[in-house]
Amino acid sequence: MIFRLLNKHAARNLLLFYFSLISTQNYFAQDSTSVNAADTLTSSFWSRKNLSKVSAAGFSLGILGYAYGVWWKNDYRSFHFFNEPQGVFDAHLGIDKVGHFYTSYLMFRSIHDILRWGGHMNETAFWWATGVSAFHAFAIEVGDGLSKYGFDYEDLIANWSGVGYGMLQKEVPFFENFQFKWSLYYPMNKHAFKVNDLYDYHIYFLSAKINNLLPDGIEKYWPDFLQLAF
């Protein structure tokens, strides 16, 4: 099968392609940016435009580095698949799938907002956030496929669903009224900071901006700071 050909060299080439994807942003985004005239460092490395590119790349690569350190280090195996024996809700009651969704959602939102802060046009930020976060989600699963965990297509679907919801919010502003949020209760008796292994302590919220959903005659009676969350 073709997947048997996926070895260390293929994994290395995949990462090299990922690094190239990040670095080419420095070239393709040059003509698609608008910089505030008050920014006196537009021609230097410390301009917002450059800082936003470095920050977006560092954010994505940092998560890959974390994944390597806690999941894949010293655990190379031939490429293989993995599926939950009893379905999507078998492991951690499905909270791990919510975690995959939220991580990719956060990746898209963060890269988009970082690039917008740097002065990139909205369309440029949108498509770079989409491309990098979608490929990042795929690279994570390939890394799992080359380790003891195995490539899980259900995880990949959850990853890309998170990217898709971030895209939907940017394309259809109504969905900005429904935000995903996350918090973590970290047990003090844990010595290794491995957030991914602590699903029992993860808390995910889907919050609604009630003010934007109420009719004008009622909205004025609803406190501006108050949202409802599930």
Side-chain angles (χ1 to χ4, degrees), residues 64-73:
L64 274 182
Y66 171 81
Y68 172 79
V70 300
W71 296 329
W72 309 326
K73 188 176 181 180

Side-chain angles (χ1 to χ4, degrees), residues 181 208-214 216 218-228:
K181 301 178 181 180
K209 298 180 180 179
I210 302 300
N211 282 82
N212 296 343
L213 302 174
L214 293 174
D216 293 339
I218 301 176
E219 185 276 333
K220 60 184 179 181
Y221 299 106
W222 187 271
D224 292 340
F225 64 87
L226 184 60
Q227 297 183 11
L228 292 183

